[in-house]
Amino acid sequence: MATSRIAPAAPAAADRTARLAVTVFPLLVVAAGALGLAAPSRFTGWAPAVPYLLGVVMFTMGLTLTGEDFRAVAKRPWAVGLGLVAHYVIMPGLGWLIATALGLPPQLAAGVILVGCAPSGTASNVVTYLARGDVALSVSVATVSTLVAPLVTPPLTLLLADRFLDVDAGAMFTDILKTVLVPVVGGALVRMVAGRRVARLLGVLPSLSALTIAVLVLIVVSGSAARIKDAAALVLLAVVLHNGLGLALGYAAGRLARLGAPSSRAMAFEVGMQNSGLAASLATAHFSPAAALPAAVFSVWHNVSGAVVAAWMSRRPTAETAPGAAGAPSADHAAP
């Protein structure tokens, strides 16, 4: 869910690790999507595994959480609360506006809205670090947005997407509990009980998470391969608008609240980057494989755009964003 905690004495190593993550992960996801598109019949039977794969990703996130992450939330309730509200207002609202403005077919419209109603993305923290943003705030917002997802994502989806497709908010709530909250809490408890043993595995968690998400994309793309050729351009346009406006409005929310440049950069990525794996899983289970297509495209695009925006921001330092000012990301957090 977050980045890799690397000692502050080694910023060059932290940069290399972070840049590798945001370079390799999108390439891996693109390759997985291409394989699913080229040979869909070989993977369409894998759809029942999607919730379990998402559970693996969420469990690895839980393993990365420490008491310090929760204390950080308590230390900055205003900033974390603002990030949470901005995330769950801006992205769902943009999803509905874009789906309506583009006149998307019902399944695609519901898929775009569902992406907007998902919690923060799995790579938001590492991208915040590359942008010289406030990593502590990024981790806090991402953690809380994930923990409250069972209570927020289903009613928001029902409110905004029900005009396009029937939404069973109760069943969606149960699925998010099983595939997100239970694995995250379970991982956190394992970390609490067996911290030293878990610490030895932290180095492999990012790779495990990245490979699992790539398989998720492979399954989603193979399930909707027949419709991709017809809808690819329209879906890509919707995803680019959704992500780009989310990044811009997230940054603007931070600046309007006078959080400062580093925190505003964190806000940009916490708002504009989504847990598209969860969106794909929910779309496949509750709508159709075609409805999961926006989530599959988003999972690639937001990592590419996030890396590009972070590189641009990192070249615009201020007194607040001098190297080291925001702190190095923590190796306790798994990402892609």
Side-chain angles (χ1 to χ4, degrees):
M1 176 79 191
T3 62
S4 301
R5 186 171 293 168
I6 298 171
D15 280 346
R16 285 195 297 271
T17 300
R19 293 184 190 282
L20 181 64
V22 297
T23 300
V24 173
F25 178 54
L27 295 177
L28 182 63
V29 172
V30 169
L35 180 59
L37 190 60
S41 60
R42 295 189 178 185
F43 308 104
T44 50
W46 293 16
V50 167
Y52 300 100
L53 292 170
L54 179 63
V56 170
V57 176
M58 294 296 101
F59 183 74
T60 61
M61 175 198 166
L63 289 176
T64 69
L65 296 177
T66 66
E68 183 57 36
D69 295 320
F70 295 100
R71 287 190 289 272
V73 175
K75 290 176 183 176
R76 307 174 69 183
W78 154 247
V80 175
L82 177 64
L84 191 64
V85 171
H87 178 87
Y88 279 118
V89 170
I90 291 173
M91 290 305 280
L94 283 175
W96 182 87
L97 286 173
I98 291 168
T100 302
L102 295 180
L104 296 180
Q107 292 181 352
L108 295 180
V112 169
I113 291 170
L114 187 53
V115 169
C117 296
S120 289
T122 54
S124 58
N125 308 144
V126 72
V127 175
T128 296
Y129 171 67
L130 289 175
R132 300 185 182 185
D134 188 334
V135 176
L137 177 61
S138 177
V139 171
S140 296
V141 174
T143 300
V144 176
S145 75
T146 300
L147 293 177
V148 303
L151 299 175
V152 179
T153 298
L156 276 176
T157 306
L158 175 63
L159 175 67
L160 299 174
D162 195 50
R163 59 168 288 198
F164 298 103
L165 292 176
D166 290 335
V167 178
D168 187 341
M172 192 175 290
F173 169 80
T174 302
D175 280 354
I176 298 176
L177 278 181
K178 292 189 296 185
T179 60
V180 175
L181 191 60
V182 171
V184 169
V185 173
L189 290 175
V190 171
R191 178 66 183 272
M192 186 183 304
V193 173
R196 291 184 179 179
R197 294 181 180 179
V198 172
R200 299 172 185 171
L201 302 175
L202 291 176
V204 303
L205 292 182
S207 298
L208 175 61
S209 183
L211 287 171
T212 305
I213 292 175
V215 175
L216 280 168
V217 172
L218 168 64
I219 296 171
V220 170
V221 170
S222 66
S224 56
R227 296 202 56 183
I228 287 180
K229 293 181 180 179
D230 296 331
L234 190 59
V235 171
L236 181 60
L237 175 60
V239 165
V240 170
L241 289 173
H242 201 182
N243 171 243
L245 290 172
L247 292 171
L249 292 177
Y251 182 82
R255 297 304 279 178
L256 288 173
R258 299 182 179 180
L259 292 183
S263 295
S264 296
R265 293 179 182 190
M267 288 277 289
F269 298 115
E270 289 310 316
V271 171
M273 299 183 72
Q274 302 295 93
N275 188 334
S276 48
L278 173 60
S281 175
L282 293 175
T284 301
H286 295 276
F287 300 143
S288 69
L293 183 56
V297 176
F298 202 101
S299 67
V300 178
W301 176 257
H302 78 155
N303 285 284
V304 174
S305 66
V308 171
V309 172
W312 177 75
M313 286 182 171
S314 70
R315 290 173 173 78
R316 299 175 62 86
T318 67
E320 298 173 281
T321 57
S330 163
D332 289 335
H333 295 289

